[in-house]
Amino acid sequence: MVVKRTLLAALLIPAAALAQESAEQARAIAGAPPATAQRLTIADLPAPAGKATALFDGRSLKGWQPWLGYTDPAVTYKASPGSAPIGTGRDTSGDFAVRQIDGAPAIWVKGETWGSLVHHADLRDYHLRLQYKWGATTWAPRERLPQNNGLLYHTHGKPGDVFGTWRPSVEFEIMKGSTGMIVTVGTKVRAQTTVAFDPSLIAPHLRFRMGGRAIDMINGTPTWNVEGASDAERPVGEWNTLDLYVLGDHAIHVVNGVPVAEVRGLATIAPDGTRSPLTHGHIQLQSEGAETWFRGITVEPIRSLPRIVAAGG
C-alpha cells in the first residue's frame, strides 16, 4: 500500500505542479480573487433600428453552409492530423438537418463529427437571438465531458482555417456550466475584456468581472478564454435563450436574460503585427461533440448597446 501510494504521488506531482503554475500565472494576470461575487443585470436595451430577419426559415437549411472537420475529432488539435478535413466532401444530412422537436421545427446538430453551419449573411451592428437545448447524446472524445458547442460570430477567413474545422471568429461559448464564455477562435483574432482570478475554475482561471483587470485575449496563451460572470443556463432538457449584442468591435453576451460577459477591441492581427478592428462577419453554429437543437434564430439591426449593471463586489 505504501509503495502504491508513493507511485501514485509521483504520477500526480507533475499534474499538480502544472496546475499550480497555471494558477500562479492567472493570479499574476488578474490579481487576488475578489472578496464577493458580482450580480449582473442588463439595462437600456436598444430599440431595433430596422426589421428583424429570421436566419432559420423553419423548413430548411437555406442560407447555411455546412463544413466538417476530421473523421476522427480526436486528431483536431494535433500538429499533424494525418488526413485532410472532410469539408464539403460528403453528404452532411446526417450531421445537420431540420427536424421536429417539442412540436416545432429546429436545426438539429448531431455533434459526432466536429464542424459548423455557417450562415451566408455578413452581419454588423446587430442583436441576434436564438434558443438552444441539449440533445441526449455526446460523442467521443468528449463523451464524458460537459456538453459542448458554440455560437461563433464575426466569422471571416477560409473554411477550415482553424484546426481544419472552423473559421476565425469570436465565440459565445455554449457549454454546460460555461455558457457565455468568451473564446478567441484562431491565433489571428484578438479581444479585450476585464477579469478576476477565480481559483475554482480550471485553467486559465479567469472569470469576467465588471471593473476587473483589463486583458488582451490571445489564443494559445494564458488568456485564451475567459469564463462568464455566472452560470445562467437552465437544466438539461430545457430551452435556453441567448442574446448577442454586437456594435462594431464591441459585444455583450446574455444568457436567459442575464449578462455574463462583455468584450471590446475585437480585432484581427496581420503577419506584420498590424491590428485591424473586427467589426463584422458571419455566424457559425458549431458541432463539437454534443447533440444540440437550435431554433428561433433572428437578427435585427441596432445603433447602441445595452448597459451592464453590477451589484456587489
Side-chain angles (χ1 to χ4, degrees):
M1 180 64 72
V2 172
V3 172
K4 288 183 178 180
R5 287 180 178 173
T6 302
L7 289 172
L8 180 60
L11 291 171
L12 292 176
I13 285 171
L18 287 173
Q20 179 64 28
E21 180 181 358
S22 172
E24 289 173 358
Q25 284 181 324
R27 186 186 291 271
I29 292 166
T36 58
Q38 284 184 325
R39 299 185 306 279
L40 303 182
T41 56
I42 198 85
D44 300 336
L45 295 176
K51 291 183 179 180
T53 300
L55 301 187
F56 170 47
D57 64 14
R59 301 181 302 277
S60 69
L61 294 179
K62 182 180 179 180
W64 296 90
Q65 174 65 52
W67 177 271
L68 295 175
Y70 300 98
T71 303
D72 177 8
V75 307
T76 301
Y77 301 121
K78 292 184 177 180
S80 300
S83 63
I86 298 164
T88 57
R90 80 172 192 208
D91 177 14
T92 59
S93 60
D95 302 285
F96 308 106
V98 177
R99 297 184 177 181
Q100 294 284 320
I101 184 171
D102 297 338
I107 295 176
W108 170 77
V109 177
K110 184 178 182 180
E112 181 177 15
T113 304
W114 294 4
S116 64
L117 284 174
V118 184
H119 197 269
H120 71 83
D122 189 355
L123 302 172
R124 67 170 69 235
D125 300 343
Y126 60 89
H127 165 211
L128 184 143
R129 171 171 286 184
L130 64 74
Q131 290 188 310
Y132 80 91
K133 82 170 188 174
W134 299 113
T137 309
T138 56
W139 305 93
R142 290 182 171 168
E143 68 271 33
R144 293 181 178 84
L145 297 176
Q147 292 97 325
N148 193 358
N149 212 311
L151 165 63
L152 279 57
Y153 59 98
H154 279 2
T155 292
H156 56 282
K158 297 178 181 178
D161 266 358
V162 180
F163 299 117
T165 306
W166 301 291
R167 292 169 64 182
S169 51
V170 186
E171 182 169 4
F172 186 138
E173 180 73 76
I174 301 174
M175 180 177 177
K176 186 61 186 169
S178 295
T179 295
M181 177 194 290
I182 310 163
V183 184
T184 51
V185 180
T187 58
K188 298 176 183 178
V189 177
R190 298 289 186 273
Q192 297 170 341
T193 191
T194 52
V195 301
F197 171 55
D198 186 342
S200 71
L201 299 173
I202 62 171
H205 310 288
L206 300 175
R207 186 180 293 280
F208 173 76
R209 187 172 181 85
M210 291 290 290
R213 285 196 183 176
I215 65 163
D216 202 28
M217 296 183 64
I218 304 174
N219 200 301
T221 77
T223 61
W224 73 278
N225 74 33
V226 171
E227 183 71 63
S230 62
D231 178 12
E233 189 181 20
R234 292 174 179 149
V236 172
E238 296 185 19
W239 288 96
N240 296 271
T241 299
L242 304 187
D243 289 284
L244 170 65
Y245 295 90
V246 182
L247 195 69
D249 63 354
H250 187 172
I252 292 175
H253 298 184
V254 181
V255 180
N256 294 318
V258 180
V260 297
E262 183 172 16
V263 58
R264 302 172 184 264
L266 302 177
T268 58
I269 302 296
D272 65 359
T274 302
R275 188 169 186 142
S276 300
L278 179 57
T279 60
H280 64 96
H282 306 268
I283 66 165
Q284 301 176 73
L285 299 179
Q286 270 190 322
S287 170
E288 198 179 0
E291 183 182 29
T292 316
W293 299 87
F294 295 95
R295 70 181 187 186
I297 310 170
T298 61
V299 63
E300 60 189 17
I302 57 174
R303 295 196 181 100
S304 64
L305 287 174
R307 182 168 53 90
I308 299 179
V309 179

